[in-house]
Amino acid sequence: MSDPATRLPRFSPAERWAHRSIAILTGILLITSAFLYLPELGGLIGNRQVVRVIHEIAGFALPVPILLALFSRAFRDDTGRLNRFRPSDWTWLRSRDRRSGRIAVGKFNAGQKLNAAFTLGAIIVMFMTGTLMFFSSRFPDALRTGATFVHDWLAIAVLIVVLGHIYMAFNDATARAGMRTGEVPLSWAEREHGAWAQELAPSPAVEPEVWVGDD
């Protein structure tokens, strides 16, 4: 049994700052896009142009936290972990008792890896299509129309994934605290990320018993 008071470092300050910054910018983008594309909400805003400018600034700023966080070694190490799918990850995805602790996964489970891959891909595509829309006069109509189509539909997919991410986070208070403080209890890590817990806090070696015979 592990000591419940023992805590493991999970996220560095750079990682927590990047996560928080991306979350804030994404929230701004989703809210402003709703006011821009839904007439019912757009009518509540007196100056639509201000909302558009806020949306554009947040969109161009979205990749910045990732680029700055790349200066952190801890962030780069974790991007490598997120980019590596192992056999245990496939097993985790197929198992109904994936959260029981039976499958010893690494620092990130398969769901977190898929979410990270989608998020990075969405940021890249949204940034590119948004740039085409911002400089629309420099591109042909067909390219501008295609960029708008992809941008709008991907925004809906992002909203669904973000809501799912929030739902999962609210179901795990320890995981939320880990992102907020950077530390998690060893007992939680052993249950949710057994291989990673073993990597950081390996079980003490059991000393061999010494048999002493009769004199």
Side-chain angles (χ1 to χ4, degrees), residues 82-160:
L82 287 166
N83 195 40
R84 192 175 299 115
F85 230 76
R86 302 182 179 277
S88 59
D89 293 318
W90 294 110
T91 304
W92 189 90
L93 282 175
R94 293 192 298 265
S95 302
R96 294 186 177 182
D97 63 338
R98 61 178 65 96
R99 304 302 295 271
S100 67
R102 178 180 62 84
I103 304 170
V105 299
K107 186 173 184 179
F108 302 102
N109 61 44
Q112 292 167 330
K113 292 178 180 181
L114 292 175
N115 180 75
F118 173 83
T119 300
L120 179 60
I123 289 175
I124 294 173
V125 174
M126 295 295 273
F127 183 85
M128 294 176 62
T129 54
T131 301
L132 287 173
M133 294 165 64
F134 184 79
F135 298 103
S136 59
S137 60
R138 303 185 181 185
F139 299 98
D141 291 343
L143 190 59
R144 185 172 64 249
T145 302
T148 303
F149 177 84
V150 173
H151 198 85
D152 292 351
W153 281 100
L154 185 54
I156 297 175
V158 169
L159 174 62
I160 294 172

Side-chain angles (χ1 to χ4, degrees), residues 181-212:
T181 66
E183 296 182 336
V184 292
L186 173 58
S187 56
W188 177 90
E190 289 175 335
R191 184 183 69 253
E192 299 288 342
H193 304 273
W196 173 68
Q198 180 65 23
E199 176 187 337
L200 289 190
S203 301
V206 178
E207 297 183 1
E209 295 182 0
V210 178
W211 179 78
V212 180

Side-chain angles (χ1 to χ4, degrees), residues 34-104:
F35 279 98
L36 289 172
Y37 288 100
L38 297 178
E40 298 80 3
L41 294 178
L44 301 176
I45 301 298
N47 194 334
R48 180 183 174 88
Q49 184 60 25
V50 172
V51 179
R52 183 181 299 276
V53 170
I54 294 174
H55 185 84
E56 291 167 348
I57 293 175
F60 282 117
L62 189 57
V64 174
I66 299 176
L67 296 176
L68 292 178
L70 286 173
F71 287 99
S72 165
R73 181 175 179 178
F75 183 85
R76 295 195 304 271
D77 289 344
D78 276 352
T79 57
R81 292 187 178 96
L82 287 166
N83 195 40
R84 192 175 299 115
F85 230 76
R86 302 182 179 277
S88 59
D89 293 318
W90 294 110
T91 304
W92 189 90
L93 282 175
R94 293 192 298 265
S95 302
R96 294 186 177 182
D97 63 338
R98 61 178 65 96
R99 304 302 295 271
S100 67
R102 178 180 62 84
I103 304 170

